[in-house]
Amino acid sequence: MSDARDTATVGLSGRRLVLGVAGGIAAYKAAELCRLFVKAGASVRVVMTAAAARFIGPLTLQALSGHPVSQDLFDPGTEAEIGHVRLADEAELIVIAPATADCIARLAAGLADDLLAAVVLAGRGPVLLAPAMNVNMWENPLTQANLARLLGPAGGGRFSTVGPDRGELACGWIGAGRLIEPAEIAAAAARLLAPGDLSGRRVVVSAGPTREPIDDVRFIGNRSSGKMGAALAASAAARGAEVTFLAGPGTPAVAAGPGRVTRVPFETAADLERALADAADGADAVVMAAAVADFRPRARAAGKLSRRAAGAPTLELVEVPDLLAGLGGRRRQSGKPGPFLVGFAAEVAGGSAMDERAGAKLREKGCDAVVANDVGAPGIGFDAADNAVTVLFADGARADIPRASKRAVADRLWDLFAPRLAELARG
Ligand code: CTP
Protein backbone atom coordinates (compact mmCIF):
# COMPACT_ATOMS: atom_id res chain seq x y z
CA MET A 1 0.00 0.00 0.00
CA SER A 2 1.34 3.45 -0.88
CA ASP A 3 2.13 6.21 1.61
CA ALA A 4 -0.55 8.34 -0.01
CA ARG A 5 -3.17 5.80 1.01
CA ASP A 6 -1.81 5.62 4.53
CA THR A 7 -2.20 9.38 4.75
CA ALA A 8 -5.71 9.08 3.39
CA THR A 9 -6.80 6.80 6.22
CA VAL A 10 -4.84 8.30 9.10
CA GLY A 11 -8.06 9.79 10.51
CA LEU A 12 -9.42 6.29 11.18
CA SER A 13 -7.04 5.59 14.03
CA GLY A 14 -8.95 4.84 17.22
CA ARG A 15 -12.35 5.22 15.54
CA ARG A 16 -15.18 2.71 16.03
CA LEU A 17 -16.61 1.35 12.81
CA VAL A 18 -19.29 -1.13 11.90
CA LEU A 19 -18.52 -2.84 8.61
CA GLY A 20 -21.76 -4.14 7.11
CA VAL A 21 -21.40 -6.78 4.43
CA ALA A 22 -24.36 -7.59 2.20
CA GLY A 23 -24.69 -10.58 -0.09
CA GLY A 24 -23.03 -9.99 -3.42
CA ILE A 25 -20.05 -11.35 -5.31
CA ALA A 26 -18.01 -8.34 -4.19
CA ALA A 27 -18.43 -9.45 -0.56
CA TYR A 28 -14.97 -11.02 -0.74
CA LYS A 29 -13.51 -7.51 -1.09
CA ALA A 30 -14.90 -6.70 2.37
CA ALA A 31 -11.96 -8.72 3.71
CA GLU A 32 -9.45 -6.31 2.18
CA LEU A 33 -11.48 -3.34 3.42
CA CYS A 34 -11.58 -4.80 6.92
CA ARG A 35 -7.81 -5.27 6.79
CA LEU A 36 -7.30 -1.65 5.72
CA PHE A 37 -9.54 -0.37 8.53
CA VAL A 38 -7.68 -2.42 11.14
CA LYS A 39 -4.31 -1.40 9.70
CA ALA A 40 -5.37 2.25 9.98
CA GLY A 41 -6.01 1.67 13.70
CA ALA A 42 -9.82 1.51 13.64
CA SER A 43 -11.83 -0.84 15.81
CA VAL A 44 -14.10 -2.80 13.48
CA ARG A 45 -17.23 -4.81 14.23
CA VAL A 46 -18.42 -6.77 11.25
CA VAL A 47 -22.11 -7.36 10.64
CA MET A 48 -22.95 -9.77 7.81
CA THR A 49 -26.26 -10.63 6.22
CA ALA A 50 -27.16 -14.29 5.77
CA ALA A 51 -26.60 -13.90 2.02
CA ALA A 52 -23.14 -12.37 2.59
CA ALA A 53 -22.12 -15.43 4.60
CA ARG A 54 -22.76 -17.51 1.47
CA PHE A 55 -20.11 -15.49 -0.40
CA ILE A 56 -17.43 -15.08 2.28
CA GLY A 57 -16.75 -16.99 5.47
CA PRO A 58 -17.48 -15.16 8.70
CA LEU A 59 -14.28 -16.69 10.11
CA THR A 60 -12.20 -14.68 7.64
CA LEU A 61 -13.74 -11.42 8.81
CA GLN A 62 -13.54 -12.52 12.43
CA ALA A 63 -9.82 -13.16 12.07
CA LEU A 64 -9.23 -9.86 10.28
CA SER A 65 -11.32 -7.71 12.63
CA GLY A 66 -10.27 -9.53 15.78
CA HIS A 67 -13.90 -9.70 16.94
CA PRO A 68 -16.74 -12.17 16.51
CA VAL A 69 -18.83 -11.42 13.44
CA SER A 70 -22.46 -10.55 14.14
CA GLN A 71 -24.99 -12.18 11.85
CA ASP A 72 -28.19 -12.93 13.66
CA LEU A 73 -30.74 -10.46 14.96
CA PHE A 74 -32.05 -13.22 17.16
CA ASP A 75 -28.73 -14.38 18.62
CA PRO A 76 -29.72 -15.24 22.22
CA GLY A 77 -26.23 -14.38 23.49
CA THR A 78 -25.77 -10.84 22.19
CA GLU A 79 -29.44 -9.96 21.95
CA ALA A 80 -29.78 -10.49 25.71
CA GLU A 81 -28.17 -7.06 25.88
CA ILE A 82 -30.02 -5.79 22.76
CA GLY A 83 -26.91 -6.28 20.63
CA HIS A 84 -28.17 -4.43 17.57
CA VAL A 85 -28.82 -1.24 19.54
CA ARG A 86 -25.43 -1.46 21.23
CA LEU A 87 -23.66 -1.96 17.88
CA ALA A 88 -25.56 1.03 16.48
CA ASP A 89 -24.82 3.25 19.48
CA GLU A 90 -21.14 2.45 19.59
CA ALA A 91 -20.43 2.92 15.89
CA GLU A 92 -19.07 6.29 14.87
CA LEU A 93 -19.60 5.26 11.27
CA ILE A 94 -21.33 2.36 9.54
CA VAL A 95 -19.73 1.36 6.24
CA ILE A 96 -21.69 -1.05 4.04
CA ALA A 97 -19.56 -2.73 1.38
CA PRO A 98 -20.88 -4.16 -0.80
CA ALA A 99 -24.25 -2.42 -0.54
CA THR A 100 -26.38 -4.55 -2.84
CA ALA A 101 -29.60 -3.45 -4.57
CA ASP A 102 -31.53 -5.52 -2.04
CA CYS A 103 -29.68 -3.95 0.90
CA ILE A 104 -30.29 -0.41 -0.41
CA ALA A 105 -33.99 -1.21 -0.94
CA ARG A 106 -34.34 -2.58 2.56
CA LEU A 107 -32.65 0.43 4.14
CA ALA A 108 -34.78 2.81 2.04
CA ALA A 109 -37.91 1.02 3.25
CA GLY A 110 -36.79 1.35 6.87
CA LEU A 111 -36.88 -2.43 7.39
CA ALA A 112 -35.28 -3.95 10.46
CA ASP A 113 -35.81 -7.66 10.05
CA ASP A 114 -32.17 -8.61 9.78
CA LEU A 115 -29.27 -7.49 11.94
CA LEU A 116 -27.62 -5.13 9.44
CA ALA A 117 -30.87 -3.29 8.64
CA ALA A 118 -31.73 -3.11 12.35
CA VAL A 119 -28.31 -1.68 13.23
CA VAL A 120 -28.67 1.00 10.53
CA LEU A 121 -32.22 1.87 11.58
CA ALA A 122 -31.29 2.03 15.26
CA GLY A 123 -28.24 4.20 14.61
CA ARG A 124 -28.09 7.97 14.39
CA GLY A 125 -24.62 8.39 12.94
CA PRO A 126 -23.33 8.49 9.36
CA VAL A 127 -23.67 5.53 6.99
CA LEU A 128 -21.36 5.14 4.00
CA LEU A 129 -22.70 2.91 1.23
CA ALA A 130 -20.38 1.34 -1.34
CA PRO A 131 -22.85 -0.02 -3.90
CA ALA A 132 -22.04 -3.07 -6.00
CA MET A 133 -24.39 -4.89 -8.31
CA ASN A 134 -25.16 -5.73 -11.93
CA VAL A 135 -25.33 -2.61 -14.12
CA ASN A 136 -29.01 -3.10 -14.93
CA MET A 137 -29.86 -3.44 -11.26
CA TRP A 138 -27.82 -0.30 -10.57
CA GLU A 139 -29.50 1.66 -13.34
CA ASN A 140 -32.96 0.36 -12.50
CA PRO A 141 -35.08 3.38 -11.55
CA LEU A 142 -36.24 1.52 -8.43
CA THR A 143 -32.66 1.21 -7.18
CA GLN A 144 -31.96 4.84 -8.04
CA ALA A 145 -35.18 5.94 -6.32
CA ASN A 146 -34.28 3.92 -3.21
CA LEU A 147 -30.86 5.51 -3.16
CA ALA A 148 -32.28 8.99 -3.73
CA ARG A 149 -34.61 8.39 -0.78
CA LEU A 150 -31.68 7.49 1.48
CA LEU A 151 -29.63 10.47 0.25
CA GLY A 152 -32.58 12.87 0.54
CA PRO A 153 -34.43 14.23 3.56
CA ALA A 154 -35.90 10.80 4.50
CA GLY A 155 -32.36 9.58 5.15
CA GLY A 156 -31.89 12.30 7.76
CA GLY A 157 -28.59 13.42 6.25
CA ARG A 158 -26.91 10.22 7.47
CA PHE A 159 -26.26 8.49 4.16
CA SER A 160 -23.54 9.00 1.59
CA THR A 161 -22.11 6.85 -1.17
CA VAL A 162 -18.73 6.01 -2.61
CA GLY A 163 -18.67 4.42 -6.05
CA PRO A 164 -19.67 2.29 -7.80
CA ASP A 165 -16.95 2.04 -10.43
CA ARG A 166 -17.51 1.32 -14.08
CA GLY A 167 -15.91 -1.65 -15.72
CA GLU A 168 -16.27 -5.34 -16.31
CA LEU A 169 -18.72 -6.84 -13.86
CA ALA A 170 -18.71 -10.35 -12.43
CA CYS A 171 -21.95 -11.05 -14.30
CA GLY A 172 -20.19 -10.45 -17.63
CA TRP A 173 -21.80 -7.06 -18.29
CA ILE A 174 -19.74 -3.94 -18.69
CA GLY A 175 -20.94 -0.77 -17.00
CA ALA A 176 -21.41 0.90 -13.63
CA GLY A 177 -21.87 -1.38 -10.67
CA ARG A 178 -18.44 -2.58 -9.65
CA LEU A 179 -17.46 -2.11 -6.02
CA ILE A 180 -15.03 0.78 -5.83
CA GLU A 181 -11.53 -0.20 -4.63
CA PRO A 182 -11.34 -0.88 -0.87
CA ALA A 183 -8.62 1.81 -0.50
CA GLU A 184 -11.07 4.37 -1.93
CA ILE A 185 -13.77 3.24 0.49
CA ALA A 186 -11.36 3.51 3.42
CA ALA A 187 -10.32 7.01 2.31
CA ALA A 188 -13.98 8.06 2.00
CA ALA A 189 -14.65 6.71 5.50
CA ALA A 190 -11.70 8.71 6.83
CA ARG A 191 -13.00 11.86 5.14
CA LEU A 192 -16.44 11.36 6.71
CA LEU A 193 -14.92 11.10 10.18
CA ALA A 194 -12.46 13.96 9.76
CA PRO A 195 -13.46 17.21 11.43
CA GLY A 196 -14.69 19.21 8.46
CA ASP A 197 -12.52 22.10 7.34
CA LEU A 198 -15.74 24.06 6.74
CA SER A 199 -17.34 23.36 10.11
CA GLY A 200 -18.63 26.57 11.64
CA ARG A 201 -18.71 28.28 8.21
CA ARG A 202 -21.92 29.53 6.63
CA VAL A 203 -21.90 29.21 2.87
CA VAL A 204 -24.44 30.11 0.22
CA VAL A 205 -24.51 28.13 -3.02
CA SER A 206 -26.82 29.02 -5.89
CA ALA A 207 -27.53 26.40 -8.55
CA GLY A 208 -29.58 25.73 -11.62
CA PRO A 209 -31.34 27.84 -14.21
CA THR A 210 -33.61 30.82 -13.87
CA ARG A 211 -36.95 30.98 -15.64
CA GLU A 212 -38.14 34.36 -16.86
CA PRO A 213 -41.85 34.26 -17.71
CA ILE A 214 -43.12 35.30 -21.13
CA ASP A 215 -46.71 34.56 -20.14
CA ASP A 216 -48.31 32.25 -17.59
CA VAL A 217 -47.12 29.09 -19.37
CA ARG A 218 -43.93 30.00 -21.21
CA PHE A 219 -40.57 31.16 -20.02
CA ILE A 220 -37.03 31.91 -21.13
CA GLY A 221 -34.73 29.44 -19.43
CA ASN A 222 -31.36 27.83 -20.04
CA ARG A 223 -29.72 24.43 -20.06
CA SER A 224 -28.27 24.51 -16.55
CA SER A 225 -29.13 21.30 -14.64
CA GLY A 226 -27.99 22.52 -11.23
CA LYS A 227 -25.75 19.45 -10.86
CA MET A 228 -22.52 21.39 -10.32
CA GLY A 229 -24.11 23.66 -7.71
CA ALA A 230 -25.72 20.67 -5.99
CA ALA A 231 -22.31 18.94 -5.87
CA LEU A 232 -20.79 22.09 -4.35
CA ALA A 233 -23.54 22.28 -1.72
CA ALA A 234 -23.23 18.57 -0.85
CA SER A 235 -19.46 18.79 -0.67
CA ALA A 236 -19.61 21.83 1.64
CA ALA A 237 -22.13 20.10 3.92
CA ALA A 238 -19.92 16.99 4.01
CA ARG A 239 -17.10 19.23 5.26
CA GLY A 240 -19.30 20.57 8.03
CA ALA A 241 -20.56 23.85 6.56
CA GLU A 242 -24.01 25.20 7.17
CA VAL A 243 -25.27 25.58 3.62
CA THR A 244 -28.02 27.77 2.25
CA PHE A 245 -28.77 26.11 -1.07
CA LEU A 246 -30.56 28.42 -3.48
CA ALA A 247 -32.00 25.98 -6.00
CA GLY A 248 -33.44 26.79 -9.41
CA PRO A 249 -36.04 24.60 -11.16
CA GLY A 250 -34.98 20.98 -11.62
CA THR A 251 -31.93 21.22 -9.36
CA PRO A 252 -31.25 17.88 -7.62
CA ALA A 253 -31.77 17.33 -3.90
CA VAL A 254 -28.74 17.56 -1.65
CA ALA A 255 -28.18 15.39 1.40
CA ALA A 256 -27.20 17.19 4.55
CA GLY A 257 -24.53 16.04 6.87
CA PRO A 258 -22.56 16.53 8.88
CA GLY A 259 -23.40 20.20 8.08
CA ARG A 260 -26.98 21.41 7.58
CA VAL A 261 -28.48 22.22 4.19
CA THR A 262 -31.40 24.63 3.88
CA ARG A 263 -32.90 24.54 0.41
CA VAL A 264 -34.47 27.77 -0.82
CA PRO A 265 -36.14 27.35 -4.22
CA PHE A 266 -36.18 30.17 -6.78
CA GLU A 267 -37.62 30.59 -10.23
CA THR A 268 -36.74 34.02 -11.61
CA ALA A 269 -33.58 36.10 -11.26
CA ALA A 270 -35.64 38.49 -9.13
CA ASP A 271 -36.55 35.61 -6.74
CA LEU A 272 -32.88 34.68 -6.56
CA GLU A 273 -31.91 38.29 -5.90
CA ARG A 274 -34.29 38.42 -2.92
CA ALA A 275 -33.10 35.06 -1.58
CA LEU A 276 -29.48 36.17 -1.94
CA ALA A 277 -30.10 39.41 -0.10
CA ASP A 278 -31.30 37.37 2.90
CA ALA A 279 -28.76 34.59 2.72
CA ALA A 280 -25.56 36.46 1.85
CA ASP A 281 -25.74 38.67 4.94
CA GLY A 282 -23.14 37.35 7.37
CA ALA A 283 -22.18 34.40 5.13
CA ASP A 284 -18.54 33.31 4.88
CA ALA A 285 -18.83 32.48 1.18
CA VAL A 286 -21.26 32.89 -1.69
CA VAL A 287 -20.78 30.59 -4.66
CA MET A 288 -22.83 31.60 -7.70
CA ALA A 289 -23.10 28.42 -9.74
CA ALA A 290 -26.60 29.39 -10.91
CA ALA A 291 -26.97 30.24 -14.58
CA VAL A 292 -28.77 33.53 -14.11
CA ALA A 293 -30.67 35.07 -17.01
CA ASP A 294 -29.03 38.09 -18.59
CA PHE A 295 -32.29 39.23 -20.20
CA ARG A 296 -35.96 38.82 -19.39
CA PRO A 297 -39.18 39.82 -21.16
CA ARG A 298 -40.11 43.37 -20.13
CA ALA A 299 -43.60 42.26 -19.17
CA ARG A 300 -45.29 38.98 -18.34
CA ALA A 301 -48.43 38.57 -20.43
CA ALA A 302 -51.45 37.36 -18.52
CA GLY A 303 -52.76 33.95 -19.50
CA LYS A 304 -51.36 32.32 -22.64
CA LEU A 305 -50.30 34.33 -25.68
CA SER A 306 -52.41 32.95 -28.49
CA ARG A 307 -51.07 32.31 -31.94
CA ARG A 308 -54.62 32.32 -33.27
CA ALA A 309 -55.56 35.60 -31.64
CA ALA A 310 -52.45 37.68 -32.28
CA GLY A 311 -49.87 35.72 -34.31
CA ALA A 312 -46.22 35.61 -33.29
CA PRO A 313 -45.49 38.19 -30.60
CA THR A 314 -42.41 40.36 -30.56
CA LEU A 315 -40.69 40.01 -27.23
CA GLU A 316 -39.07 43.06 -25.78
CA LEU A 317 -36.21 42.04 -23.52
CA VAL A 318 -34.70 44.05 -20.70
CA GLU A 319 -31.46 43.42 -18.88
CA VAL A 320 -31.44 41.50 -15.62
CA PRO A 321 -29.17 43.07 -13.00
CA ASP A 322 -25.91 41.19 -12.46
CA LEU A 323 -26.46 39.66 -9.02
CA LEU A 324 -22.85 38.64 -8.46
CA ALA A 325 -21.57 42.08 -9.45
CA GLY A 326 -24.16 43.50 -7.04
CA LEU A 327 -22.74 41.39 -4.20
CA GLY A 328 -19.19 42.45 -5.13
CA GLY A 329 -20.22 46.12 -5.19
CA ARG A 330 -21.99 45.92 -1.82
CA ARG A 331 -19.00 44.21 -0.26
CA ARG A 332 -16.70 46.96 -1.56
CA GLN A 333 -18.98 49.66 -0.15
CA SER A 334 -19.24 47.93 3.23
CA GLY A 335 -15.46 47.79 3.53
CA LYS A 336 -15.80 44.27 4.95
CA PRO A 337 -13.47 41.54 3.64
CA GLY A 338 -16.25 38.93 3.31
CA PRO A 339 -18.12 37.06 2.11
CA PHE A 340 -15.69 35.22 -0.16
CA LEU A 341 -17.33 35.56 -3.58
CA VAL A 342 -17.08 32.89 -6.26
CA GLY A 343 -18.50 33.29 -9.74
CA PHE A 344 -18.83 30.78 -12.54
CA ALA A 345 -18.00 31.60 -16.12
CA ALA A 346 -19.78 29.43 -18.65
CA GLU A 347 -17.83 29.91 -21.86
CA VAL A 348 -18.20 28.34 -25.26
CA ALA A 349 -14.49 28.47 -26.04
CA GLY A 350 -11.63 26.93 -24.11
CA GLY A 351 -7.96 27.89 -23.97
CA SER A 352 -6.66 31.42 -23.66
CA ALA A 353 -9.90 32.97 -24.92
CA MET A 354 -11.71 31.34 -21.98
CA ASP A 355 -9.06 32.59 -19.53
CA GLU A 356 -9.34 36.09 -20.88
CA ARG A 357 -13.12 36.24 -20.66
CA ALA A 358 -13.16 34.63 -17.21
CA GLY A 359 -10.46 37.05 -16.02
CA ALA A 360 -12.58 39.96 -17.22
CA LYS A 361 -15.60 38.62 -15.31
CA LEU A 362 -13.46 38.24 -12.18
CA ARG A 363 -12.45 41.90 -12.30
CA GLU A 364 -15.79 43.33 -13.43
CA LYS A 365 -17.86 41.47 -10.85
CA GLY A 366 -15.41 42.16 -8.00
CA CYS A 367 -15.26 38.52 -6.87
CA ASP A 368 -12.42 36.53 -5.32
CA ALA A 369 -12.47 33.60 -7.71
CA VAL A 370 -14.03 32.63 -11.00
CA VAL A 371 -14.54 29.01 -11.98
CA ALA A 372 -14.42 28.84 -15.76
CA ASN A 373 -15.62 25.94 -17.81
CA ASP A 374 -15.96 25.32 -21.49
CA VAL A 375 -19.64 24.42 -21.80
CA GLY A 376 -19.15 23.69 -25.48
CA ALA A 377 -16.71 20.82 -24.87
CA PRO A 378 -18.20 17.31 -25.20
CA GLY A 379 -18.87 15.37 -21.97
CA ILE A 380 -18.54 18.30 -19.59
CA GLY A 381 -20.58 21.35 -18.67
CA PHE A 382 -24.36 21.76 -18.84
CA ASP A 383 -26.26 18.68 -17.67
CA ALA A 384 -23.19 16.41 -17.96
CA ALA A 385 -22.11 14.19 -15.05
CA ASP A 386 -18.51 15.44 -15.36
CA ASN A 387 -16.82 18.78 -15.42
CA ALA A 388 -13.34 20.20 -15.98
CA VAL A 389 -12.61 23.72 -14.82
CA THR A 390 -10.01 26.42 -14.51
CA VAL A 391 -10.10 28.57 -11.39
CA LEU A 392 -8.76 32.11 -11.50
CA PHE A 393 -8.24 33.98 -8.24
CA ALA A 394 -8.24 37.75 -7.76
CA ASP A 395 -4.73 37.48 -6.26
CA GLY A 396 -3.43 36.00 -9.51
CA ALA A 397 -3.39 32.35 -8.43
CA ARG A 398 -4.76 29.83 -10.90
CA ALA A 399 -5.67 26.15 -10.78
CA ASP A 400 -6.73 23.65 -13.41
CA ILE A 401 -9.00 20.86 -12.28
CA PRO A 402 -9.01 18.08 -14.88
CA ARG A 403 -12.12 16.20 -15.95
CA ALA A 404 -13.78 14.34 -13.09
CA SER A 405 -17.27 13.82 -11.69
CA LYS A 406 -18.92 17.08 -10.65
CA ARG A 407 -18.71 15.96 -7.02
CA ALA A 408 -14.95 15.33 -7.32
CA VAL A 409 -14.52 18.74 -8.97
CA ALA A 410 -16.59 20.29 -6.14
CA ASP A 411 -14.37 18.60 -3.55
CA ARG A 412 -11.27 20.01 -5.26
CA LEU A 413 -12.83 23.47 -5.39
CA TRP A 414 -13.49 23.46 -1.64
CA ASP A 415 -9.89 22.20 -1.13
CA LEU A 416 -8.88 25.47 -2.77
CA PHE A 417 -11.46 27.74 -1.11
CA ALA A 418 -11.46 26.38 2.47
CA PRO A 419 -8.01 27.76 3.44
CA ARG A 420 -8.98 31.14 2.00
CA LEU A 421 -12.20 31.14 4.04
CA ALA A 422 -10.21 30.28 7.15
CA GLU A 423 -7.87 33.19 6.40
CA LEU A 424 -10.85 35.55 6.00
CA ALA A 425 -12.32 34.32 9.29
CA ARG A 426 -9.03 35.04 11.08
CA GLY A 427 -9.41 38.62 9.82
N1 CTP B 1 -24.50 36.13 -12.90
C1 CTP B 1 -25.26 36.88 -12.03
N2 CTP B 1 -26.31 37.62 -12.48
C2 CTP B 1 -26.58 37.66 -13.80
C3 CTP B 1 -25.80 36.90 -14.72
C4 CTP B 1 -24.76 36.14 -14.23
O1 CTP B 1 -25.00 36.84 -10.82
N3 CTP B 1 -27.61 38.38 -14.21
C5 CTP B 1 -23.39 35.34 -12.36
C6 CTP B 1 -23.51 33.85 -12.61
O2 CTP B 1 -24.14 33.22 -11.53
C7 CTP B 1 -22.07 33.43 -12.71
C8 CTP B 1 -21.36 34.64 -13.26
O3 CTP B 1 -22.23 35.74 -13.02
O4 CTP B 1 -21.50 33.15 -11.45
C9 CTP B 1 -21.00 34.60 -14.72
O5 CTP B 1 -22.12 34.24 -15.51
P1 CTP B 1 -22.00 34.14 -17.09
O6 CTP B 1 -23.35 33.88 -17.64
O7 CTP B 1 -20.87 33.25 -17.47
O8 CTP B 1 -21.50 35.59 -17.46
P2 CTP B 1 -22.21 36.91 -17.84
O9 CTP B 1 -21.84 37.92 -16.83
O10 CTP B 1 -23.66 36.68 -18.06
O11 CTP B 1 -21.44 37.30 -19.18
P3 CTP B 1 -21.65 36.84 -20.72
O12 CTP B 1 -23.10 36.59 -20.92
O13 CTP B 1 -21.11 37.97 -21.49
O14 CTP B 1 -20.80 35.59 -20.91
Side-chain angles (χ1 to χ4, degrees):
M1 202 169 71
S2 73
D3 285 350
R5 280 181 190 162
D6 283 337
T7 327
T9 56
V10 71
L12 292 174
S13 175
R15 312 306 290 265
R16 293 180 309 276
L17 309 180
V18 161
L19 171 58
V21 186
I25 294 166
Y28 76 94
K29 289 194 185 168
E32 170 66 359
L33 181 58
C34 184
R35 194 188 68 77
L36 290 176
F37 282 157
V38 171
K39 186 167 178 233
S43 144
V44 186
R45 301 288 173 153
V46 178
V47 175
M48 292 176 85
T49 63
R54 302 178 73 143
F55 288 95
I56 175 172
L59 272 180
T60 306
L61 290 163
Q62 174 171 322
L64 287 167
S65 68
H67 296 284
V69 169
S70 308
Q71 293 182 74
D72 189 358
L73 183 57
F74 304 103
D75 180 338
T78 52
E79 281 305 315
E81 31 178 335
I82 326 262
H84 64 281
V85 174
R86 192 166 46 78
L87 274 168
D89 283 348
E90 287 179 359
E92 291 176 84
L93 171 68
I94 301 173
V95 180
I96 305 185
T100 57
D102 174 75
C103 170
I104 290 168
R106 296 159 65 76
L107 299 183
L111 295 183
D113 60 349
D114 73 11
L115 183 61
L116 181 55
V119 168
V120 172
L121 198 66
R124 295 164 58 94
V127 182
L128 175 63
L129 304 171
M133 64 198 75
N134 158 274
V135 58
N136 294 340
M137 289 169 97
W138 171 247
E139 287 174 357
N140 192 304
L142 284 170
T143 301
Q144 290 302 318
N146 288 332
L147 201 57
R149 183 167 159 78
L150 289 173
L151 299 178
R158 293 176 62 207
F159 293 85
S160 55
T161 56
V162 55
D165 250 348
R166 301 182 67 81
E168 203 172 314
L169 305 176
C171 50
W173 283 73
I174 293 177
R178 201 164 67 175
L179 187 75
I180 195 160
E181 284 307 313
E184 302 267 351
I185 302 173
R191 277 199 300 277
L192 275 176
L193 288 172
D197 56 2
L198 292 179
S199 63
R201 306 263 175 268
R202 227 168 56 62
V203 309
V204 180
V205 178
S206 71
T210 52
R211 285 180 178 175
E212 303 300 331
I214 296 169
D215 59 18
D216 288 348
V217 292
R218 303 181 181 92
F219 57 83
I220 298 177
N222 61 67
R223 292 187 188 281
S224 170
S225 63
K227 286 180 188 165
M228 190 62 230
L232 278 157
S235 173
R239 301 166 90 123
E242 191 183 316
V243 183
T244 305
F245 183 43
L246 309 178
T251 299
V254 168
R260 263 192 306 159
V261 177
T262 310
R263 185 182 173 107
V264 180
F266 67 80
E267 190 147 325
T268 64
D271 296 341
L272 176 57
E273 188 173 20
R274 278 188 293 274
L276 264 176
D278 283 346
D281 195 30
D284 294 289
V286 178
V287 181
M288 286 290 289
V292 189
D294 292 322
F295 315 101
R296 66 171 173 80
R298 175 179 290 282
R300 171 186 185 146
K304 184 183 170 214
L305 288 171
S306 164
R307 177 164 49 127
R308 220 159 281 131
T314 302
L315 288 180
E316 191 191 345
L317 301 179
V318 293
E319 250 184 73
V320 165
D322 190 316
L323 308 184
L324 182 57
L327 289 173
R330 272 196 294 287
R331 184 179 64 172
R332 215 173 24 250
Q333 274 167 11
S334 76
K336 290 187 194 150
F340 187 80
L341 294 178
V342 181
F344 270 68
E347 304 298 349
V348 285
S352 62
M354 182 173 88
D355 272 36
E356 233 165 76
R357 287 179 54 87
K361 285 179 188 177
L362 179 72
R363 288 186 298 278
E364 283 159 20
K365 295 175 193 250
C367 39
D368 301 287
V370 159
V371 180
N373 68 339
D374 177 0
V375 290
I380 62 168
F382 284 145
D383 204 25
D386 290 353
N387 210 350
V389 303
T390 298
V391 195
L392 306 179
F393 289 92
D395 63 8
R398 175 205 155 97
D400 286 305
I401 303 178
R403 180 171 171 174
S405 70
K406 286 188 170 169
R407 176 54 192 265
V409 170
D411 291 343
R412 283 287 298 118
L413 286 170
W414 285 118
D415 288 346
L416 295 168
F417 300 152
R420 289 168 182 264
L421 262 58
E423 206 172 295
L424 262 185
R426 280 196 296 272

